[in-house]
Amino acid sequence: MDLHGYDDAPVTADQALQSLLRALGVGPEHAWLDRERAGLVAAVHWAREGKHVDTAMRLAPCLSGYLRWRRHFDDAIGVGSAAQKAAHAIGNRRCEAMAWNNLGVALHGSGRVDVAVAAHLRNRDLCRELGDRQGEAEAWHNFGNALAAKGQIDQAMEAYDP
């Protein structure tokens, strides 16, 4: 492949990729995540069972934001689901609530709004049980966003001001 550009010095594929990523606003600090994404997603799925459940629960929320930002919604849904199952299995309700939130946001981003609504309701209920008023408020907000995306504006307005 000829990547010479406008001068005689050849450009490596890595240099071309880095240039493209910079032009898209992705700095080198994120490039390694792009390269390691598949392995990190697999690690969450692998770790959700057995003695590594805590690892899955710590890695999943960190990875979820990145996956949504890069629009890898299928991976974000898989990571959120794995984290939710892991947290539920060991009875960590706070992590389970956070996982439901991340899962709902990823489902909404992927266009699966009906399922996102259910995830946000589950998150809201868990936050309410935990007395996590900030988490509950965020769940109401995300629930309202999902309802608005479904065209249910009146219900969305009620969710924004419960």
Side-chain angles (χ1 to χ4, degrees):
M1 177 185 322
D2 181 8
L3 294 174
H4 287 279
Y6 293 107
D7 58 16
D8 294 331
V11 176
T12 67
D14 187 57
Q15 289 170 326
L17 175 62
Q18 294 304 320
S19 178
L20 174 63
L21 289 173
R22 278 192 305 279
L24 294 173
V26 179
E29 65 277 6
H30 296 107
W32 78 270
L33 277 169
D34 291 333
R35 288 190 305 270
E36 300 298 330
R37 175 176 56 100
L40 291 167
V41 168
V44 171
H45 287 283
W46 173 79
R48 76 172 183 228
E49 298 176 14
K51 63 182 179 179
H52 300 290
V53 172
D54 287 338
T55 302
M57 288 189 311
R58 284 193 314 272
L59 179 56
C62 299
L63 197 51
S64 290
Y66 159 77
L67 292 170
R68 290 190 317 262
W69 172 63
R70 298 294 282 156
R71 306 191 57 79
H72 296 295
F73 293 117
D74 288 340
D75 284 343
I77 291 167
V79 165
S81 180
Q84 180 275 316
K85 289 174 185 165
H88 183 78
I90 65 166
N92 188 326
R93 311 275 285 163
R94 280 201 194 284
C95 286
E96 186 177 359
M98 185 185 331
W100 277 115
N101 177 65
N102 290 336
L103 180 57
V105 173
L107 287 162
H108 185 167
S110 74
R112 297 172 58 191
V113 182
D114 288 331
V115 188
V117 166
H120 291 307
L121 285 175
R122 184 65 184 129
N123 176 37
R124 181 204 61 193
D125 293 345
L126 282 169
C127 288
R128 186 177 286 159
E129 289 172 21
L130 292 166
D132 178 359
R133 294 181 51 87
Q134 182 175 344
E136 186 180 348
E138 184 177 355
W140 275 110
H141 175 80
N142 290 333
F143 175 60
N145 287 345
L147 289 173
K150 289 179 62 170
Q152 297 177 350
I153 303 304
D154 291 339
Q155 295 91 333
M157 294 304 292
E158 290 174 20
Y160 291 134
D161 190 22

